[in-house]
């Protein structure tokens, strides 16, 4: 009985040590179906103020996380969902220019994702909705012969913190993510 318990304990410790050795991170990505998309630098938005064509148009979220619209000071957008940003824009327009403005915000172009490490063409690529790590690697030309396909890391900005996630090839990729495919050793 003691021998069996000792063997089980050794197996658990070996598994934990193996995870630590391989750099696997405990936090796993949550399903993006329940995660609302948050605006950030690099997103391109179409903002429509109904009945006001001069205030409507396509705008980019700048490096400060704000959107500059005509006749308005820069409006902070970073961290808001499109629905929340609609309310912020409507409130700002209602405070300064219009009475009861009706605003619609749509993401026209998501910020790019980045892929580094053991892929054929590392770099920055446009985000495609519903993307997984596997499709991101395919966009980057596939794995190199030295890629460790079991050691992939995503660095993701979650509001005021940056998290690193150990993932597999089926994990979802979000706009702005940085994917790192590590090198395998013989």
């Amino acid at each position: 009985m003691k021998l069996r318990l000792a063997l089980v304990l050794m197996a658990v410790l070996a598994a934990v040590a193996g995870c630590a050795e391989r750099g696997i991170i405990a936090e796993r990505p949550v399903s993006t179906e329940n995660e609302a998309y948050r605006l950030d630098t690099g997103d391109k938005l179409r903002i429509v103020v109904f009945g006001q064509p001069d205030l409507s148009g396509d705008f980019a979220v700048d490096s400060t996380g704000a959107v500059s619209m005509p006749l308005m000071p820069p409006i902070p957008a970073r961290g808001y969902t499109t629905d929340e940003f609609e309310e912020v824009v409507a409130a700002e327009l209602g405070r300064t220019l219009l009475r009861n403005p009706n605003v619609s915000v749509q993401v026209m172009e998501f910020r790019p994702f980045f892929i580094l490490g053991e892929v054929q063409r590392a770099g920055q690529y446009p985000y495609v909705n519903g993307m997984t790590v596997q499709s991101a690697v395919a966009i980057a030309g596939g794995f190199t012969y030295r890629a460790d396909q079991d050691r992939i890391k995503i660095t993701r900005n979650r509001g005021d913190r940056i998290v690193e996630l150990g993932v597999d090839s089926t994990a979802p990729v979000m706009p702005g993510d940085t994917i790192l495919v590590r090198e395998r050793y013989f």
Side-chain angles (χ1 to χ4, degrees):
M1 182 67 171
K2 289 182 182 181
L3 180 61
R4 195 176 298 173
L5 181 61
L7 289 174
V8 169
L9 183 59
M10 286 176 40
V12 169
L13 289 175
V16 170
C19 287
E21 180 180 301
R22 295 191 62 174
I24 296 173
I25 298 160
E27 185 173 357
R28 300 292 290 175
V30 294
S31 171
T32 57
E33 294 167 12
N34 298 332
E35 240 180 87
Y37 181 72
R38 301 279 175 184
L39 301 174
D40 206 345
T41 299
D43 288 329
K44 301 213 181 356
L45 309 174
R46 174 161 294 147
I47 301 174
V48 177
V49 182
F50 295 101
Q52 301 294 325
D54 293 339
L55 294 175
S56 301
D58 293 347
F59 304 95
V61 180
D62 66 19
S63 62
T64 65
V67 172
S68 295
M69 294 175 61
L71 304 174
M72 304 287 298
I75 302 170
R78 179 177 288 142
Y80 290 118
T81 65
T82 54
D83 291 340
E84 293 168 345
F85 189 59
E86 284 175 3
E87 293 173 12
V88 169
V89 172
E92 187 65 27
L93 286 169
R95 192 175 63 73
T96 58
L97 293 175
L98 302 173
R99 197 177 285 176
N100 298 322
N102 194 350
V103 177
S104 172
V105 175
Q106 211 177 8
V107 178
M108 298 306 295
E109 189 177 313
F110 294 101
R111 59 190 175 273
F113 74 94
F114 303 87
I115 188 162
L116 307 169
E118 295 300 319
V119 292
Q120 298 294 331
R121 293 183 308 275
Q124 170 184 320
Y125 293 94
Y127 176 78
V128 178
N129 208 8
M131 180 177 283
T132 64
V133 170
Q134 188 173 23
S135 56
V137 169
I139 289 170
F143 291 111
T144 65
Y145 73 98
R146 297 282 308 217
D148 185 345
Q149 298 179 27
D150 295 327
R151 291 182 63 203
I152 300 172
K153 181 173 73 170
I154 291 181
T155 303
R156 180 172 292 160
N157 186 350
R158 284 200 177 152
D160 60 346
R161 62 191 176 103
I162 296 174
V163 295
E164 292 182 347
L165 310 165
V167 299
D168 59 20
S169 63
T170 62
V173 174
M174 298 294 289
D177 281 357
T178 300
I179 304 165
L180 175 63
V181 178
R182 296 180 186 249
E183 181 180 17
R184 66 181 160 89
Y185 299 102
F186 294 95

